[in-house]
Amino acid sequence: MRIIGLTGGIGSGKSTVAAMLQDHGIPVVDADEVARKIVAPGQSALAELAKAFGKEIIDQQGHLNRAELARRAFTTSEKTQLLNSITHPAIKAEVKRQFSQLEDAGFKMAIYDMPLLIEQGLHKQMDLTVVVDVDAEERVRRLVDKRGLDESDVRNRIARQIDDETRLAAADIVIDNNGTLENLNTQVHALAARLTELTGLTERN
Ligand code: ATP
């Protein structure tokens, strides 16, 4: 099965593109969703986190208290590494499971919607990397106006991500989402056709 990485800066429209591709019948594995799933109540990664950082990171209902975990895990780079050594393998295993499931269901390709794809070097493992590109100022506007996020928080998060130039350099295909949603839809329609053609060609070779 061919795996197509989908990434972009925060607020670039990854989720919107993923939903549109899904409408074209292309399945999506959502990295954020997997990251939430592996620490859901009762999951082994959650128990491991509690063992490493203290049972206070789990609330009365058995849910992960993210703020408490962040307070304990992001104090030193060693602790952050410990956190990653617990969560990353669990995420990797679940992502693999979801792709295998799609392959067993007969899909020839699937999208991996992953915000930090390039930051983590995972784009090298993809058959193709699609980057959704939008000017930083427009992304700030959309996240503040449409999602009601705090402007300085958005700017800080953008500053912590790789710059647009580096991200674009890693792209095989760029979707320009500076325009309207209708324009985006047109581009995604063409992308779905291109991906189907590319994976079809690869399958035959
Ligand atoms: P995050 O980084 O938070 O996961 P994302 O990259 O998945 O975000 P979306 O949630 O798809 O981005 O889009 C961010 C916001 O911008 C949403 O409110 C979405 O509806 C809106 N949006 C996306 N594309 C456009 C567009 N072309 N025109 C106007 N608004 C848009």
Side-chain angles (χ1 to χ4, degrees):
M1 183 167 65
R2 309 294 151 187
I3 298 180
I4 320 297
L6 174 65
T7 195
I10 81 158
S12 57
K14 296 176 294 293
S15 312
T16 309
V17 171
M20 287 174 175
L21 286 169
Q22 224 150 10
D23 286 345
H24 285 280
I26 303 174
V28 176
V29 172
D30 180 334
D32 282 343
E33 193 185 301
V34 170
R36 283 192 297 272
K37 188 177 173 185
I38 59 120
V39 291
Q43 293 296 308
S44 58
L46 182 60
E48 283 179 56
L49 286 173
K51 215 164 139 187
F53 295 104
K55 61 179 181 343
E56 296 80 4
I57 63 148
I58 301 180
D59 70 16
Q60 302 286 349
Q61 284 74 42
H63 292 276
L64 172 65
N65 180 337
R66 287 177 184 279
E68 190 55 43
L69 177 63
R71 266 194 292 278
R72 291 166 184 236
F74 296 135
T75 48
T76 64
S77 61
E78 286 79 12
K79 286 189 177 173
T80 307
Q81 264 175 32
L82 176 62
L83 168 74
N84 290 340
S85 74
I86 295 169
T87 53
H88 286 184
I91 291 171
K92 202 172 161 186
E94 173 60 17
V95 165
K96 201 172 161 196
R97 193 192 66 79
Q98 292 195 9
F99 279 121
S100 301
Q101 207 171 39
L102 291 169
E103 192 165 22
D104 291 347
F107 287 103
K108 297 272 181 278
M109 73 169 140
I111 305 293
Y112 187 34
D113 175 359
M114 170 51 160
L116 298 179
L117 189 80
I118 296 163
E119 281 86 344
Q120 294 190 6
L122 294 171
H123 60 293
K124 296 180 192 133
Q125 296 172 27
M126 301 291 119
D127 290 297
L128 270 177
T129 296
V130 176
V131 167
V132 186
D133 182 50
V134 181
D135 289 345
E137 285 308 310
E138 178 61 19
R139 282 153 57 202
V140 173
R141 246 193 315 272
R142 286 180 190 168
L143 289 172
V144 171
D145 293 351
K146 298 203 165 183
R147 290 244 210 94
L149 298 188
D150 177 64
E151 181 172 341
S152 61
D153 182 40
V154 171
R155 288 191 189 280
N156 281 335
R157 284 165 65 188
I158 288 178
R160 283 202 300 271
Q161 293 191 321
I162 51 165
D163 59 78
D164 293 349
E165 210 176 303
T166 312
R167 189 180 295 108
L168 287 171
D172 297 304
I173 297 173
V174 177
I175 297 287
D176 178 353
N177 188 23
N178 284 291
T180 61
L181 281 169
E182 198 187 339
N183 182 281
L184 181 66
N185 214 341
T186 307
Q187 289 182 71
V188 176
H189 186 83
L191 173 66
R194 190 169 164 196
L195 292 179
T196 306
E197 196 185 300
L198 282 173
T199 46
L201 286 174
T202 333
E203 289 306 312
R204 275 200 293 276
N205 286 341

